[in-house]
Amino acid sequence: MKRTSIKNTRINGEVQKELSRIIQYEIKDPRIHAMTSVTQVIVTPDLKECKAFISVLGDAQAQSDTLAGLKSASGYIRRELARSINLRNTPEITFYMDQSIEYAINMSKKIDDVMREQGTDSLQEDDEE
């Protein structure tokens, strides 16, 4: 497993912050949902490519529309990123949908349901005694 250098970690954080700002405030595409956040950014060490993981609070249609809007605006986003961050190369950005937040919410609901069922089962056992 390859370790990430401190420099690359700082670049990832800075690119993530700038991508979030650009998506939130500068893109006017109506397909991009208002509740879109950049959850993680991975920039290759040679600064040629960038994987941006985004999360959209909404249904599947909103997620697919947002992904399509971001892909069509990737040239504009790259140009704005080059203006705001002084890097040797401006990476080519590829957007991916991050389902981890939605997965965590669903797992939390399932755990709460199980805890509620166990609570009602224990109450029924107490009533029987």
Side-chain angles (χ1 to χ4, degrees), residues 104-124:
I105 291 171
N106 288 336
M107 290 306 290
S108 178
K109 285 180 184 177
K110 288 180 182 182
I111 291 170
D112 290 343
D113 291 343
V114 168
M115 294 302 288
R116 241 183 270 116
E117 287 176 8
Q118 287 181 350
T120 57
D121 290 345
S122 65
L123 289 175
Q124 289 174 355

PDB file of all heavy atoms in Angstrom, residues 104-124:
ATOM      1  N   ALA A 104     -24.368   5.219   5.361  1.00  0.00           N
ATOM      2  CA  ALA A 104     -24.280   5.396   6.812  1.00  0.00           C
ATOM      3  C   ALA A 104     -25.645   5.730   7.408  1.00  0.00           C
ATOM      4  O   ALA A 104     -26.000   5.227   8.486  1.00  0.00           O
ATOM      5  CB  ALA A 104     -23.275   6.487   7.142  1.00  0.00           C
ATOM      6  N   ILE A 105     -26.422   6.559   6.725  1.00  0.00           N
ATOM      7  CA  ILE A 105     -27.759   6.906   7.220  1.00  0.00           C
ATOM      8  C   ILE A 105     -28.656   5.674   7.245  1.00  0.00           C
ATOM      9  O   ILE A 105     -29.381   5.433   8.217  1.00  0.00           O
ATOM     10  CB  ILE A 105     -28.374   8.037   6.365  1.00  0.00           C
ATOM     11  CG1 ILE A 105     -27.629   9.345   6.608  1.00  0.00           C
ATOM     12  CG2 ILE A 105     -29.865   8.205   6.653  1.00  0.00           C
ATOM     13  CD1 ILE A 105     -28.004  10.457   5.663  1.00  0.00           C
ATOM     14  N   ASN A 106     -28.603   4.870   6.180  1.00  0.00           N
ATOM     15  CA  ASN A 106     -29.420   3.650   6.135  1.00  0.00           C
ATOM     16  C   ASN A 106     -29.014   2.660   7.225  1.00  0.00           C
ATOM     17  O   ASN A 106     -29.875   2.044   7.860  1.00  0.00           O
ATOM     18  CB  ASN A 106     -29.316   2.986   4.762  1.00  0.00           C
ATOM     19  CG  ASN A 106     -30.047   3.755   3.695  1.00  0.00           C
ATOM     20  OD1 ASN A 106     -30.971   4.506   3.984  1.00  0.00           O
ATOM     21  ND2 ASN A 106     -29.639   3.583   2.452  1.00  0.00           N
ATOM     22  N   MET A 107     -27.706   2.504   7.454  1.00  0.00           N
ATOM     23  CA  MET A 107     -27.251   1.589   8.500  1.00  0.00           C
ATOM     24  C   MET A 107     -27.680   2.092   9.877  1.00  0.00           C
ATOM     25  O   MET A 107     -28.076   1.304  10.740  1.00  0.00           O
ATOM     26  CB  MET A 107     -25.728   1.422   8.442  1.00  0.00           C
ATOM     27  CG  MET A 107     -25.243   0.643   7.237  1.00  0.00           C
ATOM     28  SD  MET A 107     -26.017  -0.977   7.066  1.00  0.00           S
ATOM     29  CE  MET A 107     -25.295  -1.827   8.439  1.00  0.00           C
ATOM     30  N   SER A 108     -27.622   3.390  10.086  1.00  0.00           N
ATOM     31  CA  SER A 108     -28.042   3.962  11.358  1.00  0.00           C
ATOM     32  C   SER A 108     -29.530   3.703  11.604  1.00  0.00           C
ATOM     33  O   SER A 108     -29.940   3.372  12.723  1.00  0.00           O
ATOM     34  CB  SER A 108     -27.754   5.453  11.371  1.00  0.00           C
ATOM     35  OG  SER A 108     -28.181   6.029  12.568  1.00  0.00           O
ATOM     36  N   LYS A 109     -30.338   3.848  10.556  1.00  0.00           N
ATOM     37  CA  LYS A 109     -31.776   3.569  10.690  1.00  0.00           C
ATOM     38  C   LYS A 109     -32.016   2.103  11.029  1.00  0.00           C
ATOM     39  O   LYS A 109     -32.863   1.783  11.867  1.00  0.00           O
ATOM     40  CB  LYS A 109     -32.509   3.924   9.397  1.00  0.00           C
ATOM     41  CG  LYS A 109     -32.692   5.404   9.185  1.00  0.00           C
ATOM     42  CD  LYS A 109     -33.425   5.681   7.892  1.00  0.00           C
ATOM     43  CE  LYS A 109     -33.527   7.178   7.636  1.00  0.00           C
ATOM     44  NZ  LYS A 109     -34.171   7.446   6.352  1.00  0.00           N
ATOM     45  N   LYS A 110     -31.268   1.201  10.382  1.00  0.00           N
ATOM     46  CA  LYS A 110     -31.431  -0.234  10.662  1.00  0.00           C
ATOM     47  C   LYS A 110     -31.037  -0.559  12.098  1.00  0.00           C
ATOM     48  O   LYS A 110     -31.704  -1.341  12.770  1.00  0.00           O
ATOM     49  CB  LYS A 110     -30.606  -1.057   9.675  1.00  0.00           C
ATOM     50  CG  LYS A 110     -31.177  -1.050   8.280  1.00  0.00           C
ATOM     51  CD  LYS A 110     -30.337  -1.866   7.328  1.00  0.00           C
ATOM     52  CE  LYS A 110     -30.921  -1.797   5.929  1.00  0.00           C
ATOM     53  NZ  LYS A 110     -30.176  -2.597   4.966  1.00  0.00           N
ATOM     54  N   ILE A 111     -29.959   0.048  12.576  1.00  0.00           N
ATOM     55  CA  ILE A 111     -29.534  -0.181  13.962  1.00  0.00           C
ATOM     56  C   ILE A 111     -30.592   0.342  14.927  1.00  0.00           C
ATOM     57  O   ILE A 111     -30.926  -0.323  15.920  1.00  0.00           O
ATOM     58  CB  ILE A 111     -28.165   0.477  14.224  1.00  0.00           C
ATOM     59  CG1 ILE A 111     -27.077  -0.278  13.452  1.00  0.00           C
ATOM     60  CG2 ILE A 111     -27.846   0.525  15.714  1.00  0.00           C
ATOM     61  CD1 ILE A 111     -25.730   0.404  13.442  1.00  0.00           C
ATOM     62  N   ASP A 112     -31.151   1.517  14.642  1.00  0.00           N
ATOM     63  CA  ASP A 112     -32.206   2.063  15.494  1.00  0.00           C
ATOM     64  C   ASP A 112     -33.428   1.155  15.503  1.00  0.00           C
ATOM     65  O   ASP A 112     -34.049   0.953  16.560  1.00  0.00           O
ATOM     66  CB  ASP A 112     -32.608   3.463  15.020  1.00  0.00           C
ATOM     67  CG  ASP A 112     -31.544   4.501  15.281  1.00  0.00           C
ATOM     68  OD1 ASP A 112     -30.631   4.229  16.098  1.00  0.00           O
ATOM     69  OD2 ASP A 112     -31.605   5.591  14.660  1.00  0.00           O
ATOM     70  N   ASP A 113     -33.796   0.584  14.347  1.00  0.00           N
ATOM     71  CA  ASP A 113     -34.938  -0.331  14.280  1.00  0.00           C
ATOM     72  C   ASP A 113     -34.695  -1.574  15.121  1.00  0.00           C
ATOM     73  O   ASP A 113     -35.588  -2.025  15.851  1.00  0.00           O
ATOM     74  CB  ASP A 113     -35.227  -0.727  12.826  1.00  0.00           C
ATOM     75  CG  ASP A 113     -35.755   0.431  12.004  1.00  0.00           C
ATOM     76  OD1 ASP A 113     -36.200   1.437  12.597  1.00  0.00           O
ATOM     77  OD2 ASP A 113     -35.718   0.331  10.755  1.00  0.00           O
ATOM     78  N   VAL A 114     -33.517  -2.127  15.038  1.00  0.00           N
ATOM     79  CA  VAL A 114     -33.185  -3.325  15.819  1.00  0.00           C
ATOM     80  C   VAL A 114     -33.205  -3.001  17.310  1.00  0.00           C
ATOM     81  O   VAL A 114     -33.728  -3.780  18.117  1.00  0.00           O
ATOM     82  CB  VAL A 114     -31.801  -3.890  15.394  1.00  0.00           C
ATOM     83  CG1 VAL A 114     -31.319  -4.941  16.366  1.00  0.00           C
ATOM     84  CG2 VAL A 114     -31.876  -4.462  13.992  1.00  0.00           C
ATOM     85  N   MET A 115     -32.662  -1.845  17.681  1.00  0.00           N
ATOM     86  CA  MET A 115     -32.657  -1.452  19.094  1.00  0.00           C
ATOM     87  C   MET A 115     -34.086  -1.254  19.602  1.00  0.00           C
ATOM     88  O   MET A 115     -34.409  -1.637  20.728  1.00  0.00           O
ATOM     89  CB  MET A 115     -31.842  -0.169  19.292  1.00  0.00           C
ATOM     90  CG  MET A 115     -30.361  -0.337  19.013  1.00  0.00           C
ATOM     91  SD  MET A 115     -29.578  -1.598  20.020  1.00  0.00           S
ATOM     92  CE  MET A 115     -29.566  -0.764  21.588  1.00  0.00           C
ATOM     93  N   ARG A 116     -34.956  -0.681  18.768  1.00  0.00           N
ATOM     94  CA  ARG A 116     -36.345  -0.497  19.154  1.00  0.00           C
ATOM     95  C   ARG A 116     -37.042  -1.840  19.328  1.00  0.00           C
ATOM     96  O   ARG A 116     -37.813  -2.032  20.270  1.00  0.00           O
ATOM     97  CB  ARG A 116     -37.075   0.344  18.092  1.00  0.00           C
ATOM     98  CG  ARG A 116     -37.612   1.637  18.658  1.00  0.00           C
ATOM     99  CD  ARG A 116     -38.404   2.447  17.658  1.00  0.00           C
ATOM    100  NE  ARG A 116     -37.496   3.356  16.964  1.00  0.00           N
ATOM    101  CZ  ARG A 116     -37.218   3.338  15.676  1.00  0.00           C
ATOM    102  NH1 ARG A 116     -37.796   2.470  14.887  1.00  0.00           N
ATOM    103  NH2 ARG A 116     -36.379   4.189  15.150  1.00  0.00           N
ATOM    104  N   GLU A 117     -36.790  -2.781  18.409  1.00  0.00           N
ATOM    105  CA  GLU A 117     -37.391  -4.115  18.508  1.00  0.00           C
ATOM    106  C   GLU A 117     -36.925  -4.825  19.763  1.00  0.00           C
ATOM    107  O   GLU A 117     -37.708  -5.488  20.442  1.00  0.00           O
ATOM    108  CB  GLU A 117     -37.053  -4.941  17.265  1.00  0.00           C
ATOM    109  CG  GLU A 117     -37.791  -4.521  16.030  1.00  0.00           C
ATOM    110  CD  GLU A 117     -37.348  -5.312  14.809  1.00  0.00           C
ATOM    111  OE1 GLU A 117     -36.584  -6.285  14.968  1.00  0.00           O
ATOM    112  OE2 GLU A 117     -37.773  -4.948  13.699  1.00  0.00           O
ATOM    113  N   GLN A 118     -35.649  -4.719  20.081  1.00  0.00           N
ATOM    114  CA  GLN A 118     -35.129  -5.356  21.294  1.00  0.00           C
ATOM    115  C   GLN A 118     -35.723  -4.706  22.537  1.00  0.00           C
ATOM    116  O   GLN A 118     -35.997  -5.370  23.517  1.00  0.00           O
ATOM    117  CB  GLN A 118     -33.601  -5.278  21.335  1.00  0.00           C
ATOM    118  CG  GLN A 118     -32.929  -6.208  20.367  1.00  0.00           C
ATOM    119  CD  GLN A 118     -31.416  -6.135  20.455  1.00  0.00           C
ATOM    120  OE1 GLN A 118     -30.853  -5.270  21.097  1.00  0.00           O
ATOM    121  NE2 GLN A 118     -30.766  -7.076  19.784  1.00  0.00           N
ATOM    122  N   GLY A 119     -35.957  -3.420  22.478  1.00  0.00           N
ATOM    123  CA  GLY A 119     -36.565  -2.709  23.603  1.00  0.00           C
ATOM    124  C   GLY A 119     -37.990  -3.145  23.831  1.00  0.00           C
ATOM    125  O   GLY A 119     -38.423  -3.347  24.966  1.00  0.00           O
ATOM    126  N   THR A 120     -38.754  -3.357  22.759  1.00  0.00           N
ATOM    127  CA  THR A 120     -40.141  -3.807  22.909  1.00  0.00           C
ATOM    128  C   THR A 120     -40.180  -5.269  23.324  1.00  0.00           C
ATOM    129  O   THR A 120     -41.053  -5.661  24.081  1.00  0.00           O
ATOM    130  CB  THR A 120     -40.935  -3.609  21.606  1.00  0.00           C
ATOM    131  OG1 THR A 120     -40.278  -4.307  20.547  1.00  0.00           O
ATOM    132  CG2 THR A 120     -41.055  -2.133  21.258  1.00  0.00           C
ATOM    133  N   ASP A 121     -39.227  -6.080  22.861  1.00  0.00           N
ATOM    134  CA  ASP A 121     -39.173  -7.484  23.272  1.00  0.00           C
ATOM    135  C   ASP A 121     -38.880  -7.589  24.765  1.00  0.00           C
ATOM    136  O   ASP A 121     -39.472  -8.400  25.469  1.00  0.00           O
ATOM    137  CB  ASP A 121     -38.109  -8.249  22.478  1.00  0.00           C
ATOM    138  CG  ASP A 121     -38.512  -8.446  21.022  1.00  0.00           C
ATOM    139  OD1 ASP A 121     -39.706  -8.251  20.710  1.00  0.00           O
ATOM    140  OD2 ASP A 121     -37.633  -8.792  20.208  1.00  0.00           O
ATOM    141  N   SER A 122     -37.973  -6.774  25.264  1.00  0.00           N
ATOM    142  CA  SER A 122     -37.638  -6.826  26.678  1.00  0.00           C
ATOM    143  C   SER A 122     -38.810  -6.330  27.529  1.00  0.00           C
ATOM    144  O   SER A 122     -39.053  -6.811  28.621  1.00  0.00           O
ATOM    145  CB  SER A 122     -36.377  -6.024  26.984  1.00  0.00           C
ATOM    146  OG  SER A 122     -36.591  -4.666  26.737  1.00  0.00           O
ATOM    147  N   LEU A 123     -39.571  -5.363  27.010  1.00  0.00           N
ATOM    148  CA  LEU A 123     -40.751  -4.893  27.725  1.00  0.00           C
ATOM    149  C   LEU A 123     -41.818  -5.978  27.783  1.00  0.00           C
ATOM    150  O   LEU A 123     -42.480  -6.158  28.803  1.00  0.00           O
ATOM    151  CB  LEU A 123     -41.330  -3.646  27.062  1.00  0.00           C
ATOM    152  CG  LEU A 123     -40.527  -2.354  27.210  1.00  0.00           C
ATOM    153  CD1 LEU A 123     -41.175  -1.237  26.388  1.00  0.00           C
ATOM    154  CD2 LEU A 123     -40.434  -1.953  28.666  1.00  0.00           C
ATOM    155  N   GLN A 124     -41.987  -6.756  26.720  1.00  0.00           N
ATOM    156  CA  GLN A 124     -42.972  -7.831  26.694  1.00  0.00           C
ATOM    157  C   GLN A 124     -42.575  -8.938  27.669  1.00  0.00           C
ATOM    158  O   GLN A 124     -43.402  -9.515  28.340  1.00  0.00           O
ATOM    159  CB  GLN A 124     -43.119  -8.393  25.290  1.00  0.00           C
ATOM    160  CG  GLN A 124     -43.811  -7.441  24.334  1.00  0.00           C
ATOM    161  CD  GLN A 124     -43.825  -7.930  22.888  1.00  0.00           C
ATOM    162  OE1 GLN A 124     -43.225  -8.970  22.591  1.00  0.00           O
ATOM    163  NE2 GLN A 124     -44.514  -7.218  22.037  1.00  0.00           N
TER     164      GLN A 124
END
